[in-house]
Amino acid sequence: MEIRVLRYFLAVAQEESISAAAQLLHLSQPTLSRQLKELEEELGIILFIRSNRKISLTEEGVYLVNRAKEILSLVDKTTLNLKEAEVVSGDIYIGGGESKAMRLIAKISKELMDEYPEVRIHLYSGNADELAEKLDNGLLDFGIVIDPADKQKYDAIRLPDRDIWGLLMQDSSSLAKKDVIVSSDLKGLPLIVSRQTHVANELSNWLGNNLEQYNIVATYNLLYNASLLVSEGVGYALCSYSFTLQWNMKRIGRLAPIRRQYGLGGENEMKTFDEEHLAAVVNGEVCTETNKKYENLRMVKNTVFDPHPLAIVKCLNEADVVQTIRYCREQELAFTVKCTGHSAAGFSAGDEEIVIDISSLDQVEVDASTNLVTVGGGANWFKVGEALMPYDLAITSGDMGGVGVGGNAQGSGMGFFIRKYGVTTGRIRKVRVVDATGKILVASETEHPDLFWAIRGGAGNFGVVTEFVFEAHPGGTVLAGNLFYQYDPQLIQQLTDYILHAPDELNGTLSFTTAPFTSQMPEQYKGQLVIALMVCIKGSPAAGNQMIKELKKYSGFLFDEVDFVPYIKLFPPIDPSGNTLMLNFYTNELPDELISELNQELVTTGDPQLVTQVKVLGGYFGRVSNEAMAYSQRENNYLVIMRKAFGSAEEALLSNEDWKDKWEQLRKYANGIDINFLGIGQLNELEMMYKPANLKKLKELKQQYDPANCFNGVLSIQ
């Protein structure tokens, strides 16, 4: 018996699950199963009784557990006595280009060396080609490269920094007076470029032109040497603007950022972004980096993303949307659409694109005689709820008031009435949409019905919806609030099963957290993992009270905050920013293994920034055909959502690979995923978002309404 295999055996015995033990040991499940099978064959006995839900020990297995604990304890003590105190020492070789990201490496190196003084850091400066060669030959442990670089054969993570092209020149240059350099300014200049850039021809791609048309007089490996050529008047150095800003520029000369020029106006003629031209044809403000409002307007709610749009157009009306799209098409400029910027996947970020900001299109008009509500594409759900409250009406929607109508309604829309009135997109009766040519179309069941079908779940791929007409449903006062329970995996199954088979009037979402939104938590349970069941009931008060009474009977019930409240109180007008990672999936069952995998980190760490949710579906939601609209996940009973807030974008990005792994581990339970709760690692999973027939139809309609794929800032359905 190997010591390593004994540790594997003990982990499985303690976890009572091979999948949970494999995750704990950082092994694949097949590998762990094979090791256990070989151990049983070596000993000639059966150690486990395997079942669907868990595994248990045989008598021989129990005996080996006790002996294994003694053996491993002796091994650990012996090792400790021999080592006395472990000393971490050695050399780490890091290669990097001249990038702002190297400051992060320096910071991490300082923290590492403070903790382990015997560690030595060795830095090597070079471009991506040189670093790759040294990595391949074992001469470097890590390489920091600037994209584009071939990373396929390496384990790689993206660092939270962004480099911008800059032009280093003498103060006497005529370009030194400009705040921003555009690529057409470079024609005819003697250019000094990075050797990697020259070899890989990346600069040619970035400039959108053939590099041979530019006058390359020298190449460099280290920017310091290039700066000497600049100071002697040899030429202008293309370099990292962000990195070079840290230098003492008085000793070198003038540095100005270069902005990309997009599109081709003819065979060789470059078309550039003309701020004055665009500002002349729209009523709203055109904000670029020189505008004081730009810094605030460019941000999205998930601050993991750090977008720098070419410009942001604050559209005041539908005509502004039309003119901006026409301008972008004429100039071949990429654009994206932004409502409130709520998407956790950063759909409306628009880095180096024109952002069409429609948040000012937020009108809400209620026709009480028909229950039809006209809503601007830039409104948020709190404003809609406020307008509907006097009429005792509501539209099932997002669960935070700051969520934008436009993106939410075109994806799915998991509101507090999901089991009674279905998804938000199912409440749409008509839309006004600006298509990829700048033409205004009206779509409904009778006008452009195929476009109407696609918009309801097509995630913004078919145009800018400037106006929705929804059919509202009864709202007003509801019986709603949280019931709190001690955490118990079996209770999760009991509560979700109760809600799934309850009348449609009962809607419920379970959250597993150590930091619930309540001030009434008993002292002994503060900071502990609990179940928070959020319910919303619209119907007979007596029937509602009876459901709450039955829910309180379940073992582990602590207290509740359920009361009759105005519906609008359920989603206050907030939409906080933060550094968030998320993933989601639909499923039909909640087996023990799934619940264990979902909450293993919460159980072991109690991290207050991590929340897992299960939205219970069924009811009317499940009775609508998947063929009715593009959205197509009706047969599922549950939507599982995991989200975690991080202290910084840097921390979140460094954890993103772990979240991709987490999704791969959970994929086996998934029947589909929801567009509105996508994680960064789920963006290319179109086949999981739509049923095959729906996706096929969406792709056909995309070719009809947007063959150039202009609307690709969300999902690229081609």
Side-chain angles (χ1 to χ4, degrees):
M1 289 183 291
E2 295 184 37
I3 298 299
R4 170 178 56 86
V5 178
L6 275 183
R7 294 190 191 278
Y8 294 169
F9 164 73
L10 200 56
V12 173
Q14 291 170 342
E15 296 296 324
E16 298 183 336
S17 165
I18 291 180
S19 61
Q23 186 173 3
L24 182 67
L25 295 166
H26 303 290
L27 293 173
S28 68
Q29 191 169 330
T31 298
L32 182 57
S33 297
R34 186 174 64 255
Q35 294 280 356
L36 295 177
K37 185 67 175 174
E38 290 174 357
L39 178 61
E40 289 179 324
E41 291 173 354
E42 178 184 353
L43 298 175
I45 58 175
I46 301 298
L47 298 172
F48 297 105
I49 300 172
R50 295 165 172 83
S51 64
N52 290 333
R53 292 185 174 273
K54 66 178 184 178
I55 63 175
S56 55
L57 294 166
T58 62
E59 289 184 5
E60 292 83 356
V62 172
Y63 174 82
L64 184 57
V65 163
N66 294 329
R67 298 286 79 79
K69 289 179 179 178
E70 295 173 359
I71 293 169
L72 293 175
S73 175
L74 180 60
V75 169
D76 292 339
K77 287 179 180 178
T78 302
T79 302
L80 182 63
N81 289 337
L82 289 173
K83 285 189 172 183
E84 292 187 350
E86 184 177 359
V87 176
V88 177
S89 62
D91 300 274
I92 300 176
Y93 292 83
I94 303 173
E98 292 175 318
S99 166
K100 188 173 65 170
M102 289 303 294
R103 181 169 290 278
L104 173 62
I105 302 303
K107 178 181 178 182
I108 294 172
S109 298
K110 174 65 165 58
E111 294 173 355
L112 179 66
M113 295 171 76
D114 284 346
E115 186 171 356
Y116 304 108
E118 298 298 318
V119 169
R120 292 180 296 276
I121 304 294
H122 305 275
L123 296 180
Y124 171 83
S125 295
N127 61 38
D129 298 332
E130 294 165 339
L131 299 185
E133 181 181 355
K134 289 187 177 294
L135 282 169
D136 292 343
N137 292 328
L139 301 177
L140 289 178
D141 299 306
F142 302 97
I144 315 301
V145 299
I146 304 171
D147 274 330
D150 184 5
K151 304 181 289 291
Q152 292 185 359
K153 60 181 178 180
Y154 307 106
D155 289 330
I157 60 173
R158 188 178 185 86
L159 297 178
D161 264 313
R162 179 175 181 270
D163 283 287
I164 300 171
W165 282 110
L167 187 68
L168 188 60
M169 69 198 84
Q170 291 184 326
D171 284 326
S172 58
S173 169
S174 59
L175 294 179
K177 298 176 182 178
K178 302 187 69 170
D179 292 325
V180 174
I181 306 297
V182 296
S183 53
S184 58
D185 292 328
L186 304 182
K187 287 190 175 181
L189 296 181
L191 297 179
I192 305 166
V193 301
S194 162
R195 186 176 304 131
Q196 177 192 355
T197 302
H198 185 56
V199 172
N201 210 21
E202 191 271 333
L203 179 60
S204 176
N205 295 332
W206 188 84
L207 292 171
N209 215 329
N210 192 324
L211 194 61
E212 293 177 357
Q213 297 184 17
Y214 295 88
N215 180 23
I216 308 297
V217 298
T219 64
Y220 66 88
N221 181 31
L222 297 177
L223 182 57
Y224 174 74
N225 293 332
S227 72
L228 298 179
L229 295 178
V230 172
S231 65
E232 292 299 324
V234 173
Y236 297 72
L238 284 162
C239 56
S240 167
Y241 174 72
S242 307
F243 173 77
T244 315
L245 273 179
Q246 302 170 34
W247 291 19
N248 182 354
M249 295 308 303
K250 291 181 180 179
R251 295 181 56 194
I252 302 174
R254 171 81 170 101
L255 176 73
I258 305 173
R259 287 293 172 240
R260 186 191 301 260
Q261 292 175 299
Y262 298 80
L264 292 172
E267 191 169 331
N268 293 311
E269 178 191 357
M270 292 291 296
K271 287 194 175 181
T272 64
F273 169 58
D274 186 340
E275 180 182 351
E276 293 183 1
H277 180 179
L278 181 55
V281 296
V282 297
N283 297 291
E285 192 171 5
V286 178
C287 298
T288 61
E289 285 186 325
T290 58
N291 190 304
K292 292 181 180 179
K293 299 177 183 178
Y294 176 88
E295 188 63 24
N296 182 55
L297 291 174
R298 74 178 180 86
M299 298 304 296
V300 291
K301 297 299 179 182
N302 190 356
T303 47
V304 166
F305 299 94
D306 184 28
H308 289 75
L310 191 63
I312 303 155
V313 183
K314 287 289 292 178
C315 298
L316 297 182
N317 49 39
E318 187 177 65
D320 282 356
V321 178
V322 170
Q323 292 296 337
T324 304
I325 289 178
R326 288 178 178 173
Y327 172 83
C328 290
R329 292 305 305 274
E330 290 169 0
Q331 300 299 318
E332 299 182 9
L333 295 170
F335 61 85
T336 195
V337 183
K338 181 178 181 180
C339 177
T340 62
H342 176 265
S343 164
F347 284 157
S348 53
D351 191 40
E352 293 197 351
E353 298 182 354
I354 301 292
V355 171
I356 302 175
D357 187 326
I358 63 170
S359 57
S360 295
L361 280 62
D362 61 349
Q363 74 279 6
V364 182
E365 300 173 7
V366 182
D367 185 343
S369 65
T370 61
N371 288 355
L372 294 179
V373 188
T374 302
V375 181
N380 64 39
W381 283 115
F382 183 79
K383 183 164 186 175
V384 176
E386 272 190 320
L388 291 173
M389 201 64 207
Y391 303 96
D392 285 339
L393 296 173
I395 300 171
T396 184
S397 58
D399 51 11
M400 283 192 290
V403 173
V405 171
N408 179 260
Q410 292 183 76
S412 56
M414 294 282 157
F416 292 109
F417 294 104
I418 183 69
R419 300 187 69 250
K420 179 66 174 176
Y421 298 111
V423 290
T424 307
T425 195
R427 306 301 301 181
I428 302 173
R429 299 295 175 260
K430 185 166 66 174
V431 294
R432 285 177 65 90
V433 57
V434 183
D435 73 6
T437 67
K439 183 179 179 181
I440 299 172
L441 300 174
V442 175
S444 67
E445 292 285 4
T446 57
E447 301 176 85
H448 300 289
D450 54 351
L451 177 61
F452 185 59
W453 180 93
I455 283 173
R456 292 177 298 159
N461 256 263
F462 297 88
V464 182
V465 177
T466 57
E467 185 176 279
F468 295 87
V469 176
F470 294 96
E471 183 178 354
H473 54 73
T477 300
V478 295
L479 181 60
N482 280 300
L483 297 97
F484 295 94
Y485 302 83
Q486 297 179 51
Y487 181 79
D488 179 0
Q490 297 300 316
L491 179 58
I492 293 170
Q493 295 169 329
Q494 294 168 6
L495 292 173
T496 53
D497 188 68
Y498 176 88
I499 298 169
L500 185 64
H501 295 95
D504 295 359
E505 285 73 18
L506 174 60
N507 302 271
T509 297
L510 284 74
S511 298
F512 318 125
T513 175
T514 58
F517 294 108
T518 179
S519 59
Q520 298 186 33
M521 184 64 67
E523 193 65 34
Q524 65 268 34
Y525 294 109
K526 287 183 178 178
Q528 293 191 22
L529 181 58
V530 297
I531 300 172
L533 170 58
M534 174 66 191
V535 298
C536 177
I537 304 172
K538 181 62 181 179
S540 160
N545 281 323
Q546 180 60 33
M547 292 182 205
I548 299 301
K549 184 177 180 181
E550 292 173 3
L551 287 169
K552 290 181 180 180
K553 291 180 181 178
Y554 283 94
S555 175
F557 172 73
L558 299 174
F559 66 98
D560 74 282
E561 296 176 337
V562 178
D563 202 353
F564 289 96
V565 295
Y567 170 63
I568 196 173
K569 291 252 180 169
L570 302 187
F571 52 106
I574 59 171
D575 189 14
S577 300
N579 305 294
T580 305
L581 293 182
M582 178 182 289
L583 63 83
N584 83 88
F585 60 92
Y586 287 98
T587 188
N588 266 325
E589 304 291 339
L590 296 173
D592 293 343
E593 293 84 357
L594 171 55
I595 294 174
S596 175
E597 288 190 47
L598 284 176
N599 295 319
Q600 182 176 7
E601 184 178 349
L602 270 170
V603 170
T604 55
T605 69
D607 189 341
Q609 303 303 320
L610 177 62
V611 178
T612 301
Q613 291 183 313
V614 176
K615 290 183 178 288
V616 185
L617 307 174
Y620 172 76
F621 165 86
R623 295 193 290 271
V624 179
S625 169
N626 276 333
E627 300 174 357
M629 60 195 73
Y631 172 81
S632 53
Q633 299 289 347
R634 309 284 184 175
E635 73 283 0
N636 293 292
N637 292 331
Y638 309 105
L639 174 61
V640 177
I641 303 166
M642 298 182 71
R643 59 164 63 90
K644 183 174 180 178
F646 294 84
S648 66
E650 169 190 335
E651 184 184 358
L653 289 170
L654 291 174
S655 299
N656 190 42
E657 291 301 317
D658 293 337
W659 275 69
K660 288 180 181 178
D661 292 342
K662 193 188 300 285
W663 162 233
E664 291 304 321
Q665 292 166 5
L666 294 169
R667 182 190 293 273
K668 58 182 175 287
Y669 302 106
N671 295 329
I673 55 179
D674 190 275
I675 294 166
N676 285 3
F677 298 97
L678 286 178
I680 300 173
Q682 297 180 305
L683 294 177
N684 297 319
E685 305 266 6
L686 280 176
E687 290 76 11
M688 294 287 286
M689 300 176 206
Y690 301 101
K691 300 306 174 193
N694 292 51
L695 182 56
K696 181 176 182 291
K697 184 175 179 180
L698 276 170
K699 289 182 176 181
E700 292 170 352
L701 292 172
K702 181 72 169 179
Q703 289 304 308
Q704 179 180 342
Y705 286 99
D706 183 21
N709 197 26
C710 295
F711 296 103
N712 62 10
V714 183
L715 301 173
S716 185
I717 299 176
Q718 285 185 301

